Amino acid sequence: MKAHARRTPEPRRYFKEVRFRQIRALVEVARRRSFAVAAKSLGMATPSVWRQVRALEEEYAVQLVVARGSRLQLTAEGDLLVQLATPLVEGFDSLREVFADRQDQAPRQLRVATPAPILENVLREVIVTYRKEHPEVRLALQAVPSRLAAELLEEDKADLAIVGHPIGADHSSRLEATPLVRYPMQLACLRTHPLARVRRLTLQNLIGCPLVLAGESSSSRMQFETVIAQAGLRDRVNITMTASSLSLILNYVAIGFGSAIITVPACEAAFPAKSDSALVFRDVSHLFGSEQVTLLNHKGRHDLPHIAVFRAQVIEAMGVGDKNSIRR
């Protein structure tokens, strides 16, 4: 799309249906990074979506979208407009659901996506309390890695997501993030392993040993990869196993297959079942920092009361701040 010279837009009535369609089209294009994919999501023809965005560019006298290979990218002006418009689109789209809820005409459900260690540990009591207080709500829990949990929320397959937020990662402009607690990163290894006896661990110590790591969609793995890449050590890492199951990771640490980099909630969730004195956990937050746990919801979407109550309980239970390293 060609850049447009700035001009003073003519006064118009802003809440016509066609104008809202244009805004919705831009928000969906920003989300999908493709006119064709956005058109499919909106149930429109691809040329129609292109014309909606083109009309907005004419209206605001700026370029909003540019092509970068096979994908679309927002300009600075496009990104700003999407940030401003997303709450309007989400709020409008949620009106029907809120209206039905207020009239008691819709079944109440709550879909929560979050990694298994959070469900097994810090969120367990919240779930127990919420089910007792709100038996009318159909609660559906999805135990998935952090990146997939955020994707489920953005795809409207979850109502809330509680995720780890790796260093340098950005959430979608459609999502609102509430920071919760931070958990220091931990090393899990055998007590007989050389890493258990090193006075102060370094990245060079770690990459010289076999590692058992969580899957690439987990926040701990993304944080590990970011730090290693920034140090220029990616090619020297010896990853002997990747697993999505925490119990599998610690089982293979216990047989000497490698050491693991995991988070405090992961350690706490696994330790009662894995109280093997052969394992030791060490704080490596001076190398990898702390995992920021974040509560995600749709930006601008009208709250359903039963979802708002659950979100408030999570914030109260998980708090805001740092959780000290566990000592075993």
Side-chain angles (χ1 to χ4, degrees):
M1 294 184 182
K2 297 180 180 180
H4 303 285
R6 291 184 177 274
R7 62 178 175 80
T8 303
E10 297 177 3
R12 295 185 183 180
R13 295 169 59 193
Y14 261 72
F15 292 98
K16 296 179 181 179
E17 183 180 6
V18 65
R19 188 62 48 81
F20 187 75
R21 286 181 178 177
Q22 293 166 2
I23 293 292
R24 187 198 295 278
L26 176 65
V27 170
E28 196 65 19
V29 165
R31 176 186 177 191
R32 305 294 183 176
R33 304 292 175 173
S34 163
F35 283 119
V37 179
K40 183 177 180 180
S41 174
L42 293 168
M44 300 169 61
T46 301
S48 297
V49 175
W50 184 91
R51 286 194 295 270
Q52 301 286 7
V53 175
R54 181 80 166 90
L56 279 179
E57 291 186 324
E58 291 289 343
E59 174 65 37
Y60 288 92
V62 293
Q63 189 172 11
L64 301 172
V65 178
V66 294
R68 293 283 186 266
S70 60
R71 289 177 63 81
L72 297 176
Q73 181 176 322
L74 294 175
T75 63
E77 293 83 359
D79 184 64
L80 175 59
L81 186 55
V82 168
Q83 289 184 40
L84 295 172
T86 294
L88 300 176
V89 174
E90 291 288 349
F92 185 85
D93 287 348
S94 62
L95 278 177
R96 183 188 296 272
E97 187 178 15
V98 173
F99 185 73
D101 182 82
R102 296 287 177 88
Q103 293 184 310
D104 292 325
Q105 293 180 353
R108 291 181 170 86
Q109 68 170 357
L110 173 57
R111 302 164 299 171
V112 180
T114 190
I118 291 179
L119 279 175
E120 291 172 335
N121 185 40
V122 292
L123 204 58
R124 186 175 182 274
E125 290 305 315
V126 176
I127 298 296
V128 171
T129 300
Y130 186 82
R131 289 191 70 193
K132 288 180 179 178
E133 295 177 353
H134 301 277
E136 78 285 359
V137 178
R138 186 175 62 188
L139 189 59
L141 307 176
Q142 303 173 77
V144 294
S146 290
R147 185 168 64 185
L148 297 182
E151 290 176 1
L152 286 172
L153 178 63
E154 191 169 6
E155 294 169 1
D156 290 325
K157 296 178 181 177
D159 301 301
L160 295 173
I162 304 167
V163 302
H165 189 187
I167 298 170
D170 291 323
H171 294 299
S172 165
S173 61
R174 298 182 68 218
L175 304 180
E176 181 178 20
T178 302
L180 300 172
V181 68
R182 290 190 298 271
Y183 292 105
M185 301 291 286
Q186 299 281 317
L187 167 73
C189 64
L190 288 169
R191 290 190 180 276
T192 55
H193 195 284
L195 293 178
R197 299 188 295 272
V198 174
R199 182 180 295 273
R200 183 170 176 82
L201 292 166
T202 67
L203 290 179
Q204 286 71 23
N205 295 147
L206 291 173
I207 64 172
C209 300
L211 294 173
V212 179
L213 299 179
E216 294 181 355
S217 293
S218 70
S219 59
S220 61
R221 176 64 176 274
M222 288 188 283
Q223 190 145 320
F224 173 87
E225 296 285 358
T226 297
V227 172
I228 293 299
Q230 289 174 346
L233 299 173
R234 178 176 288 170
D235 294 338
R236 296 173 56 187
V237 176
N238 179 15
I239 301 175
T240 57
M241 183 176 184
T242 296
S244 58
S245 165
L246 179 62
S247 62
L248 185 58
I249 289 174
L250 292 183
N251 272 324
Y252 274 75
V253 171
I255 66 174
F257 201 68
S259 300
I261 306 296
I262 51 182
T263 59
V264 166
C267 296
E268 291 179 339
F271 204 84
K274 297 290 176 186
S275 56
D276 190 338
S277 61
L279 290 181
V280 63
F281 297 88
R282 296 192 62 181
D283 189 327
V284 288
S285 60
H286 63 289
L287 300 176
F288 298 102
S290 297
E291 178 187 51
Q292 174 69 65
V293 179
T294 302
L295 173 64
L296 300 178
N297 58 277
H298 288 280
K299 186 184 296 182
R301 185 166 294 188
H302 291 288
D303 265 341
L304 294 175
H306 64 278
I307 296 178
V309 167
F310 182 84
R311 187 172 67 244
Q313 290 180 350
V314 170
I315 293 172
E316 181 180 0
M318 298 187 69
V320 178
D322 293 289
K323 181 175 177 63
N324 295 328
S325 305
I326 62 172
R327 288 178 169 81
R328 301 294 185 185

